[in-house]
Amino acid sequence: MQFSSVLASPMLLLQLCINVLQHIFSSFFSKVCYWTPAKSSVSPDDRKVDECKIKDATTPTSVNYHFTRKCNYKCGFCFHTAKTSFVLPLDEAKRGLKLLKESGMEKINFSGGEPFLHEKGDFLGKLVQYCKQDLQLPSVSIVSNGSMIREKWFQKYGDDLDILAVSCDSFDEETNQLIGRAQGKKSHIDNLHKIRIWCQQYKVAFKINSVINTFNIDEDMAENILQLNPVRWKVFQCLLIDGENAGEDALREAERFVISEQMFQEFLERHSSVSCLVPESNEKMRNSYLILDEYMRFLDCREGRKDPSKSILDVGVKEAICFSGFDEKMFLKRGGKYVWSKADMKLEW
Ligand SMILES: C[S@@+](CC[C@H](N)C(=O)[O-])C[C@H]1O[C@@H](n2cnc3c(N)ncnc32)[C@H](O)[C@@H]1O
Ligand code: SF4
């Protein structure tokens, strides 16, 4: 276009002036605000990572690694279901655990699915051994339904385990059957007592977990719990997680198990004489756990479903933890940090 023809058209002249002014302003602001990234180049995820890294606040002090989703039980309320059958190769799992240790992990809890199922408990045993002997973690624990644990396992790996939690939601066999906390007709409660004895014999602290739901809400478990004398009795209010035990894609429908906050409080009051009871309401549970799934991705439960981060094996702990939804204050408020090393416990051996 000829310069003379531009001058001849007032519209083109106006447009030219606007363009020049735009150029001057944008180059001025890009110099003054050089720290402001161009809108299109930074994704919300990248921004979240940057903000989180600047705060540098979250340490993975206590981690729950659900390395398998497979299970031999069918608890109707289960919130960690067999959506995949994937388990990491042992060396990869160890690499991830080392990364966590380097980021400040002090306690690891192995969970599932049923952790004693994969390679008949040997995979779990090797991880327990690695965490205690190689990584020297102060606390190594397991949560299990107890049905696959054999005395041989204690003989081989018991020394390296601090705490074993066994889940038991009822001391009535029929209720356990109705919940699905059973395999065939085998007694869940006889098994619990057997494991209690092994824990004492092999110097492992014994813990019990119970999920309070519509099937056991009226039960009085105080006497049985006092008899078993666990170091801790964790009492959970049955929790719904979309995509796990609620909603369209879920493998379980747990709505019929759900109890209200008031019902939960009444259960707690009925058991107020049990000093080892540690209550966990839905609110406390949602964001006060650091959960790693079978791919070593942190799961964020704040929105009522389990949103995965990238794997710590791909992006490292610092980046992945930004997507964990973990609330360190809530973790401390729920008593997440306690005497968790068996060396520091006054256990009656
Ligand atoms: C997912 S299980 C995995 C370990 C093992 N299979 C067991 O049942 O102990 C881990 C813990 O979560 C508890 N749990 C499962 N579903 C739950 C739910 N909907 N609400 C609260 N706790 C739940 C179990 O009772 C258990 O103590
Ligand atoms: S809660 Fe029940 S179904 Fe779920 S993993 Fe544990 S034993 Fe298996």
Side-chain angles (χ1 to χ4, degrees), residues 77-79 111-114 143-145 167 181 209 211 239 245:
F77 52 63
C78 184
F79 63 16
S111 187
E114 175 45 45
V143 54
S144 161
N145 65 31
S167 297
R181 177 79 78 194
N209 283 4
V211 180
L239 181 67
N245 60 9

Side-chain angles (χ1 to χ4, degrees), residues 1-9:
M1 190 183 293
Q2 293 274 314
F3 186 63
S4 57
S5 67
V6 172
L7 287 179
S9 156

Side-chain angles (χ1 to χ4, degrees), residues 254-299:
E255 281 87 353
R256 68 199 171 100
F257 289 89
V258 170
I259 54 163
S260 66
E261 182 62 37
Q262 196 194 332
M263 288 159 93
F264 186 57
Q265 287 308 322
E266 280 165 17
F267 182 92
L268 296 179
E269 272 159 37
R270 195 177 324 130
H271 294 85
S272 57
S273 63
V274 184
S275 60
C276 61
L277 190 159
V278 181
E280 264 176 46
S281 63
N282 283 178
E283 192 214 350
K284 272 193 198 167
M285 279 185 87
R286 254 187 220 108
N287 50 1
S288 69
Y289 281 87
L290 266 178
I291 303 171
L292 272 185
D293 75 357
E294 66 276 23
Y295 301 100
M296 287 198 153
R297 305 178 301 184
F298 285 112
L299 298 179

Side-chain angles (χ1 to χ4, degrees), residues 149-162:
I149 308 179
R150 303 288 173 264
E151 189 173 4
K152 263 192 174 166
W153 193 95
F154 278 95
Q155 290 165 346
K156 208 166 167 187
Y157 303 111
D159 267 0
D160 295 320
L161 183 64
D162 289 278

